[in-house]
Amino acid sequence: MAPRTRAALLTMTGLSAIGVLAGCASSGTADAGSGTAGSAPAATTTTPAAGSGATSGTTTTSGAYKDGSYTEQGTYSSPGGKEVISVNLVIASDAVKAVTVKTVKADPTATQYQNKFIGGIGDAVVGKKIDDLNVTNVAGSSLTSQGFADALGKIKTDAKA
């Protein structure tokens, strides 16, 4: 095969592979931080298995999510390594009524950013619909927001009506 023909064939094959990969990437994906549910699996119970998130109090269904208090851990990577936060959301009528975030595991620098995040997260999410949450940066802490998004995705699964 001539070099020019081979180059054309490789280019077309590469473009086809890119098209397939692009189609795969856009199909069924969801931005965890955007609050869009995407194609998340439906929860079958409001009481998670031991070691996972927890619900407390009574839960009632008012829309897409069951009312109640839900706690999950979210993880993210920082320059200091893997960091973990605990997020508790109180949900009523598909909206966030209260939020509590706690440090679980973090290096000293990450702890400083998490404390800033903790101080500002309530203003960013309380009173908003859970599917409208898009927390990307709170009080200068963008990485902690990734951990929040991770926990939020788990909470949404736990709270699915």
Side-chain angles (χ1 to χ4, degrees):
M1 183 179 296
R4 183 175 222 158
T5 306
R6 189 176 325 149
L9 180 61
L10 290 173
T11 300
M12 290 180 3
T13 304
L15 290 176
S16 296
I18 290 170
V20 169
L21 291 175
C24 290
S26 63
S27 174
T29 60
D31 178 2
S34 70
T36 56
S39 59
T44 57
T45 178
T46 59
T47 306
S52 66
T55 59
S56 63
T58 59
T59 58
T60 59
T61 302
S62 63
Y65 301 96
K66 295 178 188 126
D67 293 354
S69 178
Y70 299 89
T71 300
E72 284 287 355
Q73 289 187 351
T75 61
Y76 64 98
S77 295
S78 76
K82 181 179 174 183
E83 315 297 348
V84 182
I85 59 172
S86 175
V87 176
N88 174 267
L89 291 180
V90 176
I91 301 170
S93 301
D94 292 345
V96 176
K97 299 303 177 189
V99 61
T100 305
V101 176
K102 295 179 182 175
T103 296
V104 175
K105 178 198 167 291
D107 71 28
T109 302
T111 299
Q112 289 176 337
Y113 283 104
Q114 287 180 8
N115 287 336
K116 290 178 182 183
F117 181 89
I118 289 166
I121 189 63
D123 292 338
V125 301
V126 173
K128 296 193 173 141
K129 293 288 187 183
I130 193 167
D131 281 336
D132 293 341
L133 297 183
N134 184 14
V135 178
T136 57
N137 187 334
V138 174
S141 179
S142 58
L143 295 179
T144 308
S145 298
Q146 294 172 10
F148 181 85
D150 181 41
L152 176 62
K154 295 171 186 176
I155 289 170
K156 289 168 72 172
T157 298
D158 293 346
K160 260 310 193 195

